[in-house]
Amino acid sequence: MIKRILTGDRPTGPLHLGHYVGSLQNRIRLQKEYDTYLLIADIQALTDNFEHPEKLEANVFEVALDYLAVGLDPEKVKIVVQSMVPELTELTIYFMNLVTVATLERNPTLKEEIKQKNFTKGLPVGFYTYPISQASDITIFKAHLVPVGEDQLPMIEQAREIVRRFNRTYDKVLIEPKALVGQVARLPGTDGGAKMGKSLGNCIYLGDSPDVVRKRVMSMYTDPTRLHPTDPGHVEGNPVFTYHDVFNPDKAEIEDLKERYRKGTVGDVEVKEKLFKALNVFLEPIRERRAHFASKPGHVREIIVEGTRKGRAVAQETMGEVRTAMKISYKLQG
Ligand code: TRP
């Protein structure tokens, strides 16, 4: 049996370099080996954007474009829109019985987000319970593997816990998924912050034009202790070098820059110019493919509709098994 991948993204904006190294790269590499489902999680995005649902529709399309742009092959992967699979919502309600409030309270990613989002009118139950909804996303497709960024590990752990509980309580229907974290666990933001994040304004987006990328790179945070190009500088923990290590294939050039940086014989500008060049080489084919698909919105829509149709068929099959296992599969006729 060919194993499945399920992973996804909230459609709250375009995808960035952090998404690429955290998860997209693994998806591209594994799409030939795994039956892959990519969920555009608009219902999850609603949990903290419920007052602005208009934000999501355009971004569903943008995220699909990003998938296609990085080389996810629509002949192989299924792009599924979460709100078009109502079975996910049904499963979430059943799963809610299997999770305690205390478990949600301990979820470190959830805790961090609640702090960051600073819900002024009180914490919505919908947001608080999104890890349960995410467990439905993963398990309804019977995924074996979930390629995600490091911050999502507590979500996979929550899904695993629910699966064990479900299979013990009812019947062995669900698969306990494994997480797969990318080559770079967490790409720092251009501001040197721990994480590149849409809401943090420290991103380089996969669709950014060369001008924008240039501006972003030239204003990147480097070594705060280094005031002049002749001061010896720090390479470790310096995001400009972290990016070089990830995106510049010319290892000899990186070594040379690092050596000169440590000695104080290279300026930030040269290091950044070379990073910009490397990033541009990396982003150019992505931009081209993005432009190609963006010029055919009807085709992209078809890809989404077809992916969602296939995804929903899997979800319906799983829900049949779930209802039987839970003894709520009544036959009202005959
Ligand atoms: N929570 C993920 C994020 O913020 C998006 C997501 C929704 C997801 N459903 C998923 C990721 C299922 C992996 C599996 O990026």
Side-chain angles (χ1 to χ4, degrees), residues 6-10 39 41 44 130 134 137-138 146 148 152:
L6 176 287
T7 185
D9 296 280
R10 295 182 196 180
L39 192 73
Q44 188 179 113
Y130 95 73
Q134 187 159 333
D137 301 344
I138 296 167
V146 191
V148 280
Q152 294 297 303

Side-chain angles (χ1 to χ4, degrees), residues 10-12 41-57 117-128 130:
R10 295 182 196 180
T12 50
D42 56 344
I43 295 193
Q44 188 179 113
L46 266 182
T47 61
D48 61 328
N49 289 282
F50 59 91
E51 288 170 312
H52 301 284
E54 70 285 351
K55 248 179 72 179
L56 306 184
E57 190 178 357
K117 293 187 196 292
N118 184 27
F119 293 103
T120 50
K121 295 178 201 150
L123 174 60
V125 173
F127 187 83
Y128 193 56
Y130 95 73

Side-chain angles (χ1 to χ4, degrees), residues 69-87:
V70 294
L72 288 160
D73 178 354
E75 300 285 323
K76 294 196 184 80
V77 304
K78 271 72 79 181
I79 299 177
V80 182
V81 178
Q82 190 180 29
S83 62
M84 290 162 80
V85 184
E87 288 75 14

Side-chain angles (χ1 to χ4, degrees), residues 98-112:
L98 307 178
V99 180
T100 62
V101 171
T103 308
L104 290 173
E105 262 166 5
R106 279 195 301 269
N107 186 314
T109 299
L110 192 62
K111 260 201 255 185
E112 182 57 38

